[in-house]
Every structure is written in C-alpha cells, then in structure tokens.
C-alpha cells in the first residue's frame, strides 16, 4: 500500500497530472486555481445498527468537484480505505472523464469507509439508505447523480433511488444510474465499463499495428470492470492469459467463463484447479501484448513499472498509475490509454440511462452499444489526434 506517502496519494497524483496538463496547454494560473479546487465537499457520519443491535458510526463522503458543465456525476464507493482526499481525487477524475467524453456533466464521487464484505445484506441496505438520507440535500437528477463504483452495485442503486423517492413522494429514477433494468436501468450498463476498456484495447492495438486475433492480455482485477473487459476482449479474438483479484492471480485457464464460474462459487480466482498461481506483481510483469490494470489505485508505481513487458497498457481502474510509474512507461515506449478515456464506458452508458429516464423511453441493447462506440470513438480520436 502506498497511501501513507503523500507523493503517491491519489490526490497528489491527480493534482500533479492537472499541473502538467495546465502547463502543456499553456492555461493560466486562474485556470489552475479553479480546476484544482473542489466546489462542494460533504462529510457525514453514517450510523448503522448491526443485526446484533450494536450501533456503529461510519464516515461517508460526497464531493461535487465541478458543476460547470451540468449536474455532477460519479460513483459511490464502499471500501475500508477511502478518505476525503481520495474521494476529492476521484471526483476530479470524474470531471475530466465526463468532459473528455463530452457529456453534459461535472464530476463527483462519494463513498462510505466500510468493508462491504463485513456487512450482512440487511446491514448493507440500512447503511446505503442512511448514507443516501445524509447526502440527500445535495443530490438529484438535476444536481448530482450517483452510480455504482468499487464495492457497490445495482442493488445499492435501487436502495438509493427508493430512499430518494420516498422523500420526494414520487418515483425519481433519474437520481442514480446503474439501477436494475426493472427500475429504469439501461440495457448494457453492467458491462459498459468493460466494453469501453475493450474498445480502447482494440484502438490501441490498431495504433501499434498489432493484430488483435490471438493477442495476449493480462487483467489485474476480476470485478465489474476486469470481468466484463475479459469477456469483451475474448469476443474480439484476444487471448486472456492471466487474471487476478485481491488474493492473487492465475494463469493456465482455458476461458474467461471457466474462471467466472469458479469465482461465483469460491469468491476468488485463486485455487482454481488446473491453473498456476501467480502474484499480482508477477501478473503485471507477464510478457503479454496488453496489460489491463482494473483493480484499485496506485498499482503501477515507479517500482512495479520497471518490470512491465506489455506493449499496450489500458487503464480500467481509476488512477492505477502513479506519476513515477507513468514516466517509466513513457520511457519504455509503452502506449498507455489513460483511465479517464479507457474506463469512460461506464459513465457514458450512465448518461444514456439518465437520458432514457428523463424521456421515459428505453433503448435496445444494440442502440446502447452503437451509441457507446460512437461517443467513445470520438473521444479516442480526439486524444489520438492531439
Ligand atoms: N464509477 C464509475 C466511474 O468511475 C461510473 C460513474 C458513473 O457512471 O457515474 O467511472
């Protein structure tokens, strides 16, 4: 873990990236002052009555980094290590991500410092609903629209929508995205971030002149992003050769669906019969064509970057690379597709969900896929040309 070092904290990383962008684009100090400051920061105490009657207090956050281009937008993270600084950093990244995809949104992020694995289903529901009540005054379809992130899913979004709606007195599906389809969710949202990662891989390989057919991929993280990216990449003809989770990684499996079936039963990729166990660092250093970091922040550092052999790195996670790691990959000539582009598929389809909720008119899966591809391709081409 690198959280203790201020130079490697996600906020320090994001601010140093902003500084470089400001300098490169020759923007003014006024621009730096506005762009480096979050507009609204809320910290709340979230009481939770455990199933055994004990009451515990958890810290919750919602940061609306920017509302200049429209309502703020971004996920809600349930993870034991989150704090205000990290939430500000991730809200800053959401601001850039929405702007790059040209969505009519600012950026936001929120979360509760809790390990969701320690919660029963009923505790998770109570915590989600209470967190929603605490941030309720500042969210809304025209103000700030939460979505899933690490440790939350469509069920949490359903509870958030319901808590908001009972307070409004009528159903307000547009207050969150990433909802179940029956409550106004969008087809294609569950796989959207992974689908976007796969499109980014496809385009990066084109730029490097590598044939995707049979090209090899290692994916760090087998959650909502890593798993769906693996599925989409396999469909495109690439060969996923290694995957990992917090417990470690595996190689030597035949297909992604085989690993998925094992994870559904056992909760981890580690220990799957017929596979070889590797560490997360070994996964980063495999001789593959493509590396997809799709876990948490700060996995590619100046230490771990030195051993990377992939020709293309596509950032599925938010802020997986420190500035030191970036510099080393740059020196090695590795083509890096940054997080705010590579993982923007999620928020792009969130935008479609919000539009569909506003119009009460729902699209087919094909329409969602086509529109995702065209918005992401516009952003990819913009970045490649500049
Ligand atoms: N949590 C996702 C992200 O970091 C999605 C955010 C959203 O859909 O608003 O991009």
């Amino acid at each position: 873990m690198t959280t203790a070092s201020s130079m490697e904290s996600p906020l320090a990383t994001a601010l140093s990236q902003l500084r470089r962008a400001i300098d490169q684009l020759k923007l003014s100090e006024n621009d730096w002052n506005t762009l480096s400051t979050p507009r609204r920061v809320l910290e709340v105490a979230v009481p939770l009555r455990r199933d055994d009657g004990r009451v515990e207090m958890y810290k919750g956050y919602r940061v609306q980094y920017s509302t200049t281009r429209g309502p703020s937008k971004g996920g809600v993270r349930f993870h034991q290590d989150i704090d205000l600084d990290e939430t500000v950093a991730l809200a800053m990244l959401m601001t850039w991500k929405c702007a790059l995809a040209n969505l009519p949104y600012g950026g936001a992020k929120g979360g509760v410092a809790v390990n969701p694995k320690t919660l029963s289903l009923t505790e998770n529901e109570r915590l989600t609903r209470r967190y929603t009540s605490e941030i309720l005054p500042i969210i809304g379809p025209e103000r700030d629209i939460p979505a899933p992130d690490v440790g939350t899913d469509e069920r949490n979004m359903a509870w958030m929508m319901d808590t908001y709606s009972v307070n409004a007195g009528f159903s307000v599906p547009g207050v969150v995205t990433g909802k179940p389809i029956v409550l106004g969710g969008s087809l294609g949202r569950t796989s959207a971030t992974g689908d976007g990662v796969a499109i980014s891989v496809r385009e990066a390989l084109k730029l490097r002149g590598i044939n995707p057919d049979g090209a090899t991929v290692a994916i760090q993280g087998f959650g909502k992003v890593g798993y769906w990216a693996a599925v989409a990449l396999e469909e495109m003809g690439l060969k996923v050769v290694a995957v990992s989770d917090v417990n470690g990684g595996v190689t030597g499996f035949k297909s992604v669906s085989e690993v998925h079936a094992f994870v559904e039963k056992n909760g981890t990729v580690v220990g799957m019969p017929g596979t070889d166990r590797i560490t997360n660092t070994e996964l980063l250093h495999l001789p593959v064509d493509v590396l997809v970091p799709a876990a948490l922040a700060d996995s590619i550092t100046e230490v771990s970057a030195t051993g990377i052999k992939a020709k293309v790195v596509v950032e599925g996670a938010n802020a997986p690379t420190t500035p030191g790691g970036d510099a080393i990959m740059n020196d090695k000539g590795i083509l890096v597709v940054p997080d705010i582009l590579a993982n923007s598929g999620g928020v792009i389809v969130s935008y479609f969900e919000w539009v569909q909720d506003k119009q009460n008119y729902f699209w087919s899966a094909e329409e969602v896929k086509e529109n995702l591809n065209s918005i992401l391709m516009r952003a990819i081409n913009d970045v490649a040309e500049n």
Side-chain angles (χ1 to χ4, degrees):
M1 289 299 301
T2 43
T3 42
S5 143
S6 65
M7 278 321 287
E8 304 266 321
S9 81
L11 185 55
T13 298
L15 285 170
S16 98
Q17 286 165 337
L18 178 65
R19 184 76 256 176
R20 266 167 48 213
I22 297 259
D23 293 346
Q24 212 157 332
L25 295 168
K26 299 192 173 47
L27 300 183
S28 67
E29 276 311 290
N30 292 344
D31 294 321
W32 163 259
N33 290 339
T34 27
L35 294 172
S36 61
T37 312
R39 293 303 157 87
R40 191 177 281 141
V41 173
L42 178 64
E43 180 176 321
V44 294
V46 191
L48 167 68
R49 185 177 292 281
R50 301 299 293 239
D51 292 340
D52 64 8
R54 276 178 303 130
V55 174
E56 291 172 350
M57 302 300 291
Y58 290 91
K59 276 194 173 157
Y61 309 97
R62 187 71 187 168
V63 174
Q64 297 173 349
Y65 197 87
S66 167
T67 47
T68 305
R69 294 170 48 89
S72 49
K73 183 90 192 79
V76 171
R77 184 171 282 208
F78 280 9
H79 192 278
Q80 58 277 17
D81 293 336
I82 64 160
D83 57 22
L84 188 56
D85 269 12
E86 180 181 294
T87 312
V88 170
L90 293 169
M92 195 185 327
L93 293 188
M94 281 309 303
T95 305
W96 305 342
K97 196 186 296 186
C98 292
L100 184 55
N102 201 19
L103 307 179
Y105 291 140
K109 202 77 168 199
V112 179
V114 64
N115 179 355
K117 290 191 186 116
T118 63
L119 302 174
S120 70
L121 191 61
T122 46
E123 289 169 342
N124 195 330
E125 174 171 0
R126 285 197 291 278
L127 190 73
T128 305
R129 287 185 180 279
R130 184 58 187 251
Y131 167 70
T132 310
S133 299
E134 297 295 340
I135 65 165
L136 200 113
I138 65 166
I139 62 172
E142 313 301 332
R143 283 189 188 146
D144 178 17
I145 306 128
D149 196 81
V150 174
T152 58
D153 59 18
E154 57 174 38
R155 196 160 46 194
N156 297 90
M157 295 307 113
W159 292 325
M160 290 190 79
M161 173 190 155
D162 188 55
T163 305
Y164 189 89
S165 298
V166 292
N167 278 278
F170 51 91
S171 179
V172 188
V175 66
V176 285
T177 58
K179 298 179 295 293
I181 306 292
V182 289
L183 289 177
S186 176
L187 291 171
R189 176 63 184 84
T190 314
S191 63
T193 312
D195 289 337
V197 167
I199 292 170
S200 305
V201 169
R202 182 188 74 200
E203 296 306 311
L205 288 179
K206 254 187 226 162
L207 283 173
R208 275 287 181 268
I210 301 170
N211 183 355
D213 221 15
T216 51
V217 195
I219 303 181
Q220 184 198 36
F222 203 62
K224 290 192 290 271
V225 181
Y227 166 62
W228 287 108
V231 170
L233 287 166
E234 215 173 54
E235 261 167 36
M236 285 177 181
L238 287 91
K239 174 99 190 93
V240 180
V241 296
V243 295
S244 70
D245 58 33
V246 280
N247 303 305
V250 287
T251 59
F253 47 84
K254 283 190 197 70
S255 69
V256 169
S257 63
E258 187 189 52
V259 185
H260 183 62
F262 182 82
V263 172
E264 289 283 280
K265 265 207 197 128
N266 302 282
T268 176
V269 300
V270 174
M272 186 177 154
T275 60
D276 296 313
R277 186 172 180 171
I278 52 169
T279 65
N280 261 298
T281 310
E282 283 166 342
L283 180 139
L284 294 178
H285 297 164
L286 286 175
V288 285
D289 295 304
V290 184
L291 173 66
V292 177
L296 290 172
D298 289 349
S299 68
I300 303 183
T301 62
E302 53 191 42
V303 178
S304 66
T306 47
I308 293 180
K309 297 176 193 72
K311 299 172 190 91
V312 168
V313 171
V314 176
E315 297 183 341
N318 286 316
T321 308
T322 66
D326 252 332
I328 288 173
M329 291 200 285
N330 194 31
D331 288 348
K332 284 165 151 272
I334 298 171
L335 177 62
V336 179
V337 185
D339 51 2
I340 56 168
L341 182 60
N343 72 28
S344 64
V347 73
I348 292 172
V349 178
S350 273
Y351 164 60
F352 298 160
E353 180 173 332
W354 181 73
V355 167
Q356 292 170 77
D357 289 340
K358 265 176 170 297
Q359 299 185 337
N360 289 310
Y361 178 74
F362 291 89
W363 309 354
S364 68
E366 290 68 37
E367 273 172 288
V368 171
K369 260 205 156 97
E370 257 169 50
N371 287 316
L372 167 61
N373 193 63
S374 74
I375 291 198
L376 191 53
M377 281 308 298
R378 193 174 59 202
I380 289 173
N381 290 332
D382 275 357
V383 172
E385 278 161 24
N386 288 291

